Amino acid sequence: MNLENDDFLARYKLHIILICVISVAVALILAFSDRFQTSETNFYTQILWLLGALVVLAALLTMLSRVMKILDALKDNSAKLEELTTALEKIHTGLAQINKSTRISDTVKSIAFKDADRQSLKEVVFEKLQAKEFNAAKEIIEEIEKHPEFMDLAEELRDQAEQYQNATEQERMNQIISHIEKLIDDAQWARASAQIEGLVKAHPDSEQARNMRLILYERKQERKRILLAAWDDAVTNQETDRSLAILKELDSYLTPSEASALQEAASDIFRTKLHTLGMQFSMAVSEKRWADALEIGQRIMKDFPNSKMCQEIYTKLDVLKQNVDMQKI
């Protein structure tokens, strides 16, 4: 209970007492005033007024006593509420710490079990190191180590974290650049770009950091040239599957004008591939190879979702699944 609340209750009690005293005084004055001593009143009437005043006084005192008890109860409840609030704040602090550890664990699990991507795990740890959140990086590595398939990765990351933590500023920058170069080698352009911008922000006066932008651009253009050459070769040799695989990767490198230039050739390849899959689907259905028909149909639906053939297969999908199940019996 704070001092402001105590002062408020004290003033409130004082006001009630004053009201009671004033009310009794008024009643007594009325009972013994000259007006009630005239011939129109008598001794018994004054006695009745006095008794009435005493009854009012008793009622007021009873009410005052109950109000006092209520105020004391409110004061006690307020004190208990403050104790509860303090306890809840302590619990909240503890839960916040648990939540932090849980988020770290969930981060690791979402990557390790959903994507099974070792590179993503490295990225998470490296981001913590760059932010100088060394304890968080350590907790993530410990969580990674709990999974047998990632124990070697955890050891690698632990060594990397120790080196980074004990390194000079220039050595840390060299480690980041080495990490970026690995991302570029793996054609992880978006991740590499994000790392480069973070590096430049941390070292705005470093020419070495700014040069990483140019390195990224040149390596990306080099990969684009390789893909275009492979595309031309696949189209010339009418290698439909290879052409489509190259086109899927090439798409992210092309400008709108370049994409328009390849659109006609790409459309021909798509039509050829769709026609081939359609023929295979029809043959599988006519020969009652329902499992093959279902597999081809699902591939058409995945690779050519906007085609008319996809819509037709979709309407027959339940029948195909039923035929596959019946054929297994």
Side-chain angles (χ1 to χ4, degrees), residues 217-245:
Y217 175 79
E218 290 177 346
R219 290 289 301 276
K220 191 172 181 180
Q221 291 301 309
E222 180 185 355
R223 180 60 182 168
K224 178 180 176 180
R225 288 192 295 269
I226 291 172
L227 289 172
L228 284 171
W231 159 263
D232 290 337
D233 182 67
V235 171
T236 301
N237 294 306
Q238 297 183 346
E239 299 177 36
T240 306
D241 289 338
R242 182 177 168 223
S243 299
L244 291 175

Side-chain angles (χ1 to χ4, degrees), residues 241 273 277 295-304:
D241 289 338
K273 184 60 180 178
L277 288 174
E295 181 182 354
I296 297 169
Q298 290 174 333
R299 185 176 175 185
I300 292 173
M301 292 172 62
K302 178 183 177 182
D303 294 342
F304 305 93

Side-chain angles (χ1 to χ4, degrees), residues 138-293:
K138 181 180 178 181
E139 290 179 14
I140 294 174
I141 293 171
E142 289 175 351
E143 183 66 29
I144 293 173
E145 195 174 28
K146 293 178 182 179
H147 309 287
E149 66 272 28
F150 292 109
M151 289 186 66
D152 60 329
L153 176 62
E155 188 64 29
E156 176 187 342
L157 292 174
R158 184 174 288 106
D159 292 341
Q160 184 184 33
E162 290 177 358
Q163 291 175 10
Y164 190 90
Q165 190 170 357
N166 298 325
T168 64
E169 197 63 27
Q170 181 60 46
E171 288 172 340
R172 288 180 180 179
M173 187 170 70
N174 291 338
Q175 287 189 45
I176 296 172
I177 289 175
S178 177
H179 179 70
I180 293 171
E181 289 173 345
K182 181 64 171 62
L183 291 174
I184 292 175
D185 290 340
D186 295 336
Q188 299 287 332
W189 312 117
R191 289 178 175 176
S193 178
Q195 292 289 336
I196 290 172
E197 294 309 314
L199 180 64
V200 172
K201 184 177 180 180
H203 305 275
D205 299 327
S206 172
E207 185 178 354
Q208 187 180 13
R210 293 194 299 271
N211 283 342
M212 293 304 299
R213 290 171 171 166
L214 179 60
I215 292 173
L216 174 66
Y217 175 79
E218 290 177 346
R219 290 289 301 276
K220 191 172 181 180
Q221 291 301 309
E222 180 185 355
R223 180 60 182 168
K224 178 180 176 180
R225 288 192 295 269
I226 291 172
L227 289 172
L228 284 171
W231 159 263
D232 290 337
D233 182 67
V235 171
T236 301
N237 294 306
Q238 297 183 346
E239 299 177 36
T240 306
D241 289 338
R242 182 177 168 223
S243 299
L244 291 175
I246 295 172
L247 187 61
K248 287 180 181 179
E249 183 181 353
L250 184 60
D251 183 62
S252 61
Y253 295 83
L254 299 175
T255 64
S257 59
E258 291 171 336
S260 298
L262 293 178
Q263 185 174 5
E264 185 176 351
S267 298
D268 290 339
I269 292 174
F270 274 95
R271 281 194 294 268
T272 301
K273 184 60 180 178
L274 180 59
H275 176 73
T276 302
L277 288 174
M279 293 295 294
Q280 293 175 354
F281 177 79
S282 297
M283 289 180 63
V285 169
S286 63
E287 295 173 4
K288 297 183 180 181
R289 291 184 285 109
W290 305 119
D292 292 341

Side-chain angles (χ1 to χ4, degrees), residues 87-100:
L88 287 175
E89 288 177 353
K90 293 180 179 178
I91 293 173
H92 176 74
T93 302
L95 288 176
Q97 184 63 34
I98 294 172
N99 188 42
K100 178 182 177 182

Side-chain angles (χ1 to χ4, degrees), residues 56-73:
V56 171
L57 176 61
L60 289 174
L61 290 175
T62 301
M63 181 184 71
L64 176 62
S65 175
R66 292 182 178 179
V67 169
M68 293 296 186
K69 290 180 181 179
I70 292 173
L71 291 176
D72 289 337

